[in-house]
Amino acid sequence: MSASTPLRVVIIGAGFGGLEAARALARAPAEVTLIDRHNHHLFQPLLYQVATAALSPGDIAWPVRTIFRRQRNVRVMMAEVTGIDTAAREVSAGPGLRVPYDALVLATGATHSYFGRDDWAPVAPGLKTIEDATDIRRRLLLAFERAELTEDEAERRRLLTFAVIGGGPTGVELAGAMAELARHAMPREFRRIDPAMARIVLIEAGPRLLPSFPEELGAKARQSLERMGVQVLTGLRVTGCDATGIDCGEERIAASTIVWAAGVVASPVGAWIGAERDRAGRIKVGPDLSVPGRGDIFALGDTATVTDAKGRPVPGNAPAAKQMGQYVGRLLAARAAGQAEPAPFRYRHHGDLATIGRRSAVVELGRIRLTGLVGWWFWGLAHVWYLIGFRSRVVVSFEWLWSYLTFQRGARLITGREPKGGNATPVPGQARALEKV
Amino acid sequence: MSASTPLRVVIIGAGFGGLEAARALARAPAEVTLIDRHNHHLFQPLLYQVATAALSPGDIAWPVRTIFRRQRNVRVMMAEVTGIDTAAREVSAGPGLRVPYDALVLATGATHSYFGRDDWAPVAPGLKTIEDATDIRRRLLLAFERAELTEDEAERRRLLTFAVIGGGPTGVELAGAMAELARHAMPREFRRIDPAMARIVLIEAGPRLLPSFPEELGAKARQSLERMGVQVLTGLRVTGCDATGIDCGEERIAASTIVWAAGVVASPVGAWIGAERDRAGRIKVGPDLSVPGRGDIFALGDTATVTDAKGRPVPGNAPAAKQMGQYVGRLLAARAAGQAEPAPFRYRHHGDLATIGRRSAVVELGRIRLTGLVGWWFWGLAHVWYLIGFRSRVVVSFEWLWSYLTFQRGARLITGREPKGGNATPVPGQARALEKV
């Protein structure tokens, strides 16, 4: 590639990784095309707050175009990629739409995995997109409304039982936020039911919560949740899910609302290019994040699996996706300019954090561990800081302050039609841990 | 009714009228049941701002329960009324759910009327509910995205043509907000199209805009819209609507997005009780807003038609609905307490107002008429004032200030599935004019 012809870079996915890759190419002699099937970038770490009515969708999502309006070498396309022709070096995105590339970046993220039980998806939706979040919000709020109407005591108990499957950060944060909603935001508003009597069950197949965090923080999270009234069931494997509840072997939990936070699988983009993948569908990439045998295709974030220069597997969270995106963007900028490409990718772990409802969070920053109120403040500041744009920082700060002072929720709307089940198409990568300290 | 047994009042509809009726019963010896098929009260005068991505749904809607959490004699039910048994004095709201009443208030509002052409509904949605607004928002924003992708010049022009049918306040405000969105919020973000080239057409069958306002203000509105680049076509009757455009007799307007703001029809509740109705389906009520021959059933807002004590027809707007709700609430409070019922209903007209995009509005307050920037400030303050609750006032003020300073829009999200057509079920009453000065 001569330095006088711009390098045509196509990036699929406007999640944390894709966004950083495009940004890192800002001053490079490159023509960047960023394709996403949504018009917005989503700040997924706060999606559970939309699902529990604390924030509005518009607070945590921004049009991708707005983000890149000043970076003139980026063209944003809202389109669904339907195939990749690696021989012709073209991406297909619907009828008649073919986008040629010199370099291709796959940043299409992951979606829920039901471990072969996709029939559970309609009754146990996962939380990946805004539509998922407003769907879960509708289910949650409708359950309270229906409990207020029914005369049947057993049905009322079932309606007020909410189950979260999966004890990772998403499951822990969701269960905590549900307990908050029931205990603090709803009381005094109903006349027949007491929303504080809602039963929230968090089910984890493994022996403890937050398996990716230090053991001490997992125990602390369990303690906080139990103090909020969440029933934490570890070592319990779900064997069945239907519209009225969950089976865990012999045990039956009658529940109105089930949320799936137990597993993810990479988007199918790896299969399209015939790349080698691990069991979770992630492409096994080389130390420069390129697909082995194809120096012009890169994969990152939840689409890729890689062991970094120090021999440790890179985790599937937002900071890792951002670092990988920055790395690939810099590599391609060097390539476009005809300069030497950088040394292999190295992941910098800055910490992990998760919040558990009102005034409690667990934070791990290397040797520093924060819990309780201090952890919660740190968590809040870090998340507000990483929200994109001044406007959302101000709105989210205000919404949180308001909820904190009044116990009310700002977005308690039941919208859309009746529950219609989960979403099983690829979306930008999941994000969880802490970016920088 | 003895004063010792509480009067059982059932109110159907939590729009402006129903809400005021329930509030006016706060200190009465009454048991109030407020039924709505949504969980939220909607501030409909600002719904067009959700449709044009300026505000989020959560900014203009509040759970009905939250509004009444301190008024302990109100029970809120989220349910869809399926029938009224006037002999047994019971309201049916789904299987097994029957609510007895001593007095019944019908405040179920109106929905779009296609004047017998209901086949137009899927291609020309109206604007009555949050789902309508997010549907129109999706259509609008998707049209720009698709225009950016297409290679076909005629198709691009069609995609960038937006038509509003109906030159009343809703149509005028929508057309103005669409012009703003295209000219101020979008430019610089696309690479192939210039959103400012979007064609916005406002079609009115009658001879002028804002027929219910003084003629001078209708002319002013037209002037403002034309200065913003909106094409105003008066005296033009729509004879056909389909997925690719509009027919007006011989003339064909190819358009991607059509919004129906041309007419409303009352909810079918009048038919259920066999009441006499006008051509728009509104129940002809007596001077105390009761249904003739049924002293225990009242109708108000867009569900009713009434000539007030001064012989003038009461308009179909939010202030009128609120005044009617207050009147019926006070009448029933007197009845519950065994006191004399009030004199016939009298409508107080305080003024009319409509806004036309950025920094322009028309306001009529009796002899005072405000236009341009002064009118716009008045309009903004009045609407923020009438939003329910401190939280929304602050959030909406901030969003508006932000948009004003930056020209950006805070809620430009394409969510939900593909356009699925209009909504033709009864909703709480439309609101338009100015409440008080």
Side-chain angles (χ1 to χ4, degrees), chain B residues 1 23 35 53 61 65 86 110 113 129 136 157 179 204 213 216 255 271 294 298 322 328 369 382 415 424 428:
Chain B
M1 174 65 45
R23 277 178 174 154
I35 308 176
R65 299 196 174 285
T86 53
S113 167
T129 65
I136 291 171
R157 272 200 305 276
E204 163 61 39
F213 284 41
E216 173 198 341
R294 299 194 188 278
F298 299 80
K322 288 170 88 165
V328 170
R369 285 166 196 191
T415 56

Side-chain angles (χ1 to χ4, degrees), chain A residues 65 69 131 145 399 408 416, chain B residues 65 69 131 145 408 416:
Chain A
R65 298 195 174 286
R69 71 187 181 284
E131 286 82 2
E145 295 294 336
E399 298 269 4
Q408 286 188 28
Chain B
R65 299 196 174 285
R69 70 187 181 286
E131 286 82 0
E145 295 294 336
Q408 286 188 27

Side-chain angles (χ1 to χ4, degrees), chain B residues 45-341:
Chain B
L46 290 179
L47 196 54
Y48 79 96
Q49 296 220 354
V50 173
T52 53
L55 293 176
S56 281
D59 297 338
I60 61 159
W62 307 265
V64 182
R65 299 196 174 285
T66 306
I67 297 170
F68 287 103
R69 70 187 181 286
R70 291 202 181 85
Q71 190 177 328
R72 305 301 295 178
N73 72 342
V74 174
R75 183 180 172 213
V76 176
M77 286 176 54
M78 180 187 169
E80 184 136 12
V81 171
T82 52
I84 295 164
D85 183 339
T86 53
R89 291 185 164 185
E90 276 186 342
V91 171
S92 303
L97 198 62
R98 298 175 78 82
V99 188
Y101 64 82
D102 299 315
L104 177 63
V105 180
L106 305 174
T108 45
T111 185
H112 331 297
S113 167
Y114 291 88
F115 308 123
R117 295 302 303 264
D118 288 349
D119 53 314
W120 295 354
V123 293
L127 185 61
K128 277 288 188 184
T129 65
I130 285 184
E131 286 82 0
D132 291 343
T134 52
D135 177 29
I136 291 171
R137 181 177 76 182
R138 178 176 48 234
R139 287 167 189 249
L140 265 174
L141 298 176
L142 266 179
F144 286 102
E145 295 294 336
R146 288 178 178 159
E148 172 82 353
L149 292 181
T150 188
E151 304 288 337
D152 178 333
E153 190 49 41
E155 175 65 1
R156 185 174 300 153
R157 272 200 305 276
R158 188 188 75 81
L159 284 166
L160 290 179
T161 302
F162 307 101
V164 178
I165 304 173
T170 303
V172 165
E173 293 187 329
L174 255 175
M178 285 179 182
E180 285 260 285
L181 177 71
R183 277 176 233 309
H184 294 302
M186 297 285 212
R188 299 183 51 82
E189 298 198 4
F190 291 83
R191 300 294 181 253
R192 297 201 172 176
I193 61 165
D194 178 1
M197 298 306 290
R199 179 183 173 208
I200 292 132
V201 188
L202 178 61
I203 304 169
E204 163 61 39
R208 70 179 185 90
L209 297 183
L210 301 177
S212 66
F213 284 41
E215 188 148 4
E216 173 198 341
L217 294 185
K220 198 83 194 174
R222 181 179 191 132
Q223 213 177 61
S224 294
L225 284 172
E226 286 177 342
R227 207 160 37 217
M228 296 170 73
V230 175
Q231 193 179 354
V232 179
L233 303 174
T234 46
L236 198 63
R237 193 167 290 279
V238 172
T239 54
C241 275
D242 58 55
T244 62
I246 295 173
D247 290 310
C248 300
E250 295 297 287
E251 197 179 345
R252 170 80 183 169
I253 300 171
S256 65
T257 308
I258 308 168
V259 184
W260 186 260
V264 293
V265 64
S267 81
V269 76
W272 293 352
I273 60 165
E276 196 190 347
R277 282 152 289 145
D278 71 0
R279 285 203 317 164
R282 295 175 299 187
I283 300 171
K284 295 181 178 172
V285 293
D288 66 349
L289 308 186
S290 68
V291 177
R294 299 194 188 278
D296 58 346
I297 304 183
F298 299 80
L300 52 82
D302 287 350
T303 315
T305 177
V306 63
T307 308
D308 83 346
K310 286 165 118 186
R312 297 180 313 182
V314 177
N317 58 35
K322 288 170 88 165
Q323 291 178 27
M324 290 161 98
Q326 279 157 6
Y327 176 84
V328 170
R330 278 202 301 264
L331 185 149
L332 291 174
R335 185 178 293 184
Q339 295 163 354
E341 296 188 6

Side-chain angles (χ1 to χ4, degrees), chain A residues 139-405:
Chain A
R139 288 167 188 249
L140 265 174
L141 299 176
L142 266 180
F144 286 102
E145 295 294 336
R146 287 177 178 159
E148 173 82 352
L149 291 181
T150 190
E151 304 288 337
D152 178 333
E153 189 48 42
E155 175 65 2
R156 185 175 299 152
R157 271 200 307 274
R158 188 188 75 80
L159 284 166
L160 291 179
T161 302
F162 307 101
V164 178
I165 303 172
T170 304
V172 165
E173 293 187 327
L174 256 176
M178 284 179 181
E180 285 260 284
L181 177 71
R183 277 177 233 305
H184 294 303
M186 297 285 213
R188 298 182 53 81
E189 298 199 2
F190 291 83
R191 300 292 181 255
R192 296 200 172 177
I193 61 165
D194 178 1
M197 299 304 290
R199 179 183 173 207
I200 292 131
V201 188
L202 178 61
I203 304 169
E204 163 61 39
R208 69 179 185 92
L209 296 183
L210 301 177
S212 65
F213 284 42
E215 189 149 4
E216 173 199 341
L217 294 185
K220 198 85 193 173
R222 181 179 192 132
Q223 213 177 61
S224 294
L225 285 172
E226 287 178 340
R227 207 162 36 218
M228 295 170 73
V230 175
Q231 194 180 351
V232 179
L233 303 173
T234 46
L236 198 64
R237 192 167 291 279
V238 171
T239 54
C241 274
D242 58 55
T244 62
I246 295 173
D247 291 308
C248 300
E250 295 297 289
E251 197 180 348
R252 171 81 182 167
I253 300 170
S256 66
T257 308
I258 307 168
V259 184
W260 185 261
V264 294
V265 63
S267 82
V269 75
W272 293 353
I273 60 164
E276 195 190 349
R277 283 153 288 145
D278 70 2
R279 286 203 316 163
R282 296 176 298 187
I283 300 170
K284 295 182 180 172
V285 293
D288 67 349
L289 307 185
S290 69
V291 176
R294 297 193 188 281
D296 58 345
I297 305 183
F298 298 80
L300 52 83
D302 287 350
T303 315
T305 178
V306 63
T307 309
D308 84 345
K310 286 166 120 187
R312 297 180 314 181
V314 177
N317 58 35
K322 289 169 88 165
Q323 291 178 25
M324 291 161 98
Q326 280 157 6
Y327 176 84
V328 170
R330 279 202 301 264
L331 184 150
L332 291 174
R335 185 178 294 184
Q339 295 163 353
E341 297 188 5
F345 173 70
R346 195 168 146 233
Y347 169 65
R348 289 166 193 275
H349 183 72
H350 294 295
D352 281 306
L353 77 181
T355 182
I356 306 124
R358 188 179 173 81
R359 301 213 283 181
S360 185
V362 292
V363 178
E364 181 267 305
L365 312 166
R367 291 204 200 135
I368 304 166
R369 282 163 199 197
L370 308 174
T371 58
L373 187 59
V374 176
W376 185 77
W377 272 104
F378 185 88
W379 173 91
L381 291 173
H383 278 73
V384 165
W385 182 255
Y386 284 107
L387 284 173
I388 287 175
F390 169 74
R391 187 192 145 275
S392 284
R393 280 184 208 162
V394 173
V395 171
V396 169
S397 302
F398 176 77
E399 298 269 4
W400 283 350
L401 185 66
W402 179 250
S403 302
Y404 183 78
L405 295 175

